[in-house]
Amino acid sequence: MSEPVRIVLADDHPIFRRGLREVLESQADLRVLAECGDGGDALAAIERERPAVALLDVDMPKQDGLAVVRALQARGLDTK
């Protein structure tokens, strides 16, 4: 069995995050490493956890999802 895909999930709506996490983690090949409510926390979690994938809300407090992606690219992180 291969390693699960490591994911950081970021959305400013806690109920949506919880539901999406439950759906993702119902799949054996997916693992949510962290949940974040804003772009600043998402960026910190991505730098700390080094996930393969970040699921980012486009409209979040502090930094939106697009700003987080630009910051990841500027730092040379390969999270998709």
Side-chain angles (χ1 to χ4, degrees):
M1 184 173 182
S2 64
E3 291 292 315
V5 176
R6 298 164 37 98
I7 301 168
V8 167
L9 176 59
D11 192 287
D12 56 326
H13 297 93
I15 293 172
F16 179 78
R17 277 197 322 265
R18 184 176 1 160
L20 185 53
R21 182 179 194 137
E22 287 180 19
V23 169
L24 292 171
E25 289 188 335
S26 72
Q27 303 300 309
D29 57 344
L30 302 177
R31 179 172 167 224
V32 177
L33 304 172
E35 286 183 41
C36 308
D38 64 60
D41 289 346
L43 186 55
I46 294 165
E47 289 180 319
R48 179 181 67 247
E49 300 292 344
R50 305 292 176 147
V53 175
L55 292 176
L56 305 170
D57 184 3
V58 173
D59 186 23
M60 291 185 290
K62 295 186 184 176
Q63 285 181 297
D64 64 31
L66 298 175
V68 172
V69 170
R70 286 190 293 274
L72 294 175
Q73 291 172 338
R75 290 176 169 99
L77 297 176
D78 61 354
T79 297
K80 303 295 183 228

